[in-house]
Amino acid sequence: AQKVTQAQTEISVVEKEDVTLDCVYETRDTTYYLFWYKQPPSGELVFLIRRNSFDEQNEISGRYSWNFQKSTSSFNFTITASQVVDSAVYFCALSEDTDKLIFGTGTRLQVFP
Amino acid sequence: EAQVTQNPRYLITVTGKKLTVTCSQNMNHEYMSWYRQDPGLGLRQIYYSMNVEVTDKGDVPEGYKVSRKEKRNFPLILESPSPNQTSLYFCASSLKATGVSETQYFGPGTRLLVL
């Protein structure tokens, strides 16, 4: 069965700290896609990254980086030098052979000045 | 500007009073979908549409209806709302529904309270 687990319900850090948000997924498919979305306090969902199961290269985008490891079924997200504007709920999601997204329950990140 | 729009953004209603939440996208996307977000549950898919006149149930379709008469619009209909449908609703769209999962772009959300 397909499932996404974000075990960290809430994380609090002080500005400039690095923080890693964990995402563990379950799927029986060999072809699948993983996503991260950000939901700031204003409520909208902002797409951050899409990664397919055949591409295990880590990705870096500014202060954001993603570590995809098929061996542990994980797709973790790290924010380097966190800022107050990073405060949000972050969702990891999985998609298999359809466009339906299976979301994790989200991790609320609070960055304090 | 490429976007997904939803209306209304906030709605308070009473049990049993039919309502429609509209969703429109201007990106010529084939795939559209509705999700609801509830605390501790993340987002769950209600209905989706692969193209005009093609709709199907998601994980939590009970109490909802949809239609896809035009490519750009995908309204969500609650024929007889109940308090357990109080939630935050998101419409999403993606370019194609080809089995190669495209990135879905989300509307701003509609916060619904059913009394």
Side-chain angles (χ1 to χ4, degrees):
Chain A
Q2 42 186 247
K3 186 180 177 182
V4 175
T5 301
Q6 295 181 256
Q8 303 153 308
T9 305
E10 188 160 341
I11 301 175
S12 295
V13 299
V14 177
E15 216 170 13
K16 297 185 183 174
E17 283 186 35
D18 298 347
V19 58
T20 295
L21 309 181
D22 297 334
C23 173
V24 174
Y25 61 92
E26 293 177 31
T27 177
R28 284 180 284 195
D29 282 12
T30 55
T31 301
Y32 52 89
Y33 295 80
L34 295 163
F35 300 80
W36 276 95
Y37 284 86
K38 173 182 179 180
Q39 186 176 43
S42 50
E44 73 272 23
L45 281 163
V46 178
F47 165 75
L48 295 178
I49 189 171
R50 167 178 176 259
R51 176 54 54 89
N52 75 55
S53 54
F54 299 107
D55 182 3
E56 283 194 77
Q57 278 196 340
N58 291 334
E59 181 150 343
I60 298 174
S61 175
R63 297 185 295 107
Y64 295 171
S65 62
W66 291 269
N67 183 352
F68 177 29
Q69 292 198 329
K70 286 175 78 169
S71 60
T72 56
S73 296
S74 65
F75 187 43
N76 296 338
F77 172 31
T78 297
I79 302 175
T80 303
S82 59
Q83 300 176 2
V84 172
V85 293
D86 295 326
S87 297
V89 179
Y90 290 87
F91 289 98
C92 180
L94 164 72
S95 179
E96 295 173 334
D97 60 354
T98 70
D99 281 48
K100 181 174 82 171
L101 287 169
I102 305 297
F103 282 86
T105 52
T107 297
R108 181 179 299 278
L109 173 66
Q110 291 197 313
V111 182
F112 293 100
Chain B
E1 181 190 353
Q3 59 182 355
V4 180
T5 57
Q6 295 178 229
N7 283 293
R9 294 289 313 280
Y10 304 91
L11 180 59
I12 301 174
T13 190
V14 295
T15 299
K17 187 176 181 183
K18 181 180 178 180
L19 66 92
T20 298
V21 183
T22 64
C23 172
S24 183
Q25 50 90 7
N26 62 0
M27 297 170 278
N28 202 35
H29 283 176
E30 288 185 358
Y31 183 90
M32 297 186 74
S33 181
W34 277 101
Y35 295 84
R36 61 178 287 174
Q37 181 181 358
D38 301 292
L41 297 177
L43 283 84
R44 294 174 293 167
Q45 191 182 55
I46 303 170
Y47 268 95
Y48 65 95
S49 170
M50 308 273 276
N51 213 323
V52 175
E53 301 292 1
V54 181
T55 63
D56 208 345
K57 297 177 181 179
D59 295 321
V60 288
E62 295 78 21
Y64 303 95
K65 284 176 57 177
V66 293
S67 68
R68 186 93 181 270
K69 294 185 170 57
E70 305 165 282
K71 198 171 188 178
R72 63 183 292 129
N73 296 325
F74 190 45
L76 179 69
I77 304 157
L78 285 71
E79 294 267 0
S80 183
S82 61
N84 65 13
Q85 292 178 297
T86 292
S87 188
L88 177 58
Y89 291 87
F90 286 99
C91 181
S93 72
S94 59
L95 185 60
K96 283 186 178 292
T98 60
V100 176
S101 185
E102 298 281 347
T103 298
Q104 286 189 43
Y105 295 94
F106 285 79
T110 295
R111 196 169 290 279
L112 172 65
L113 172 61
V114 183
L115 300 173

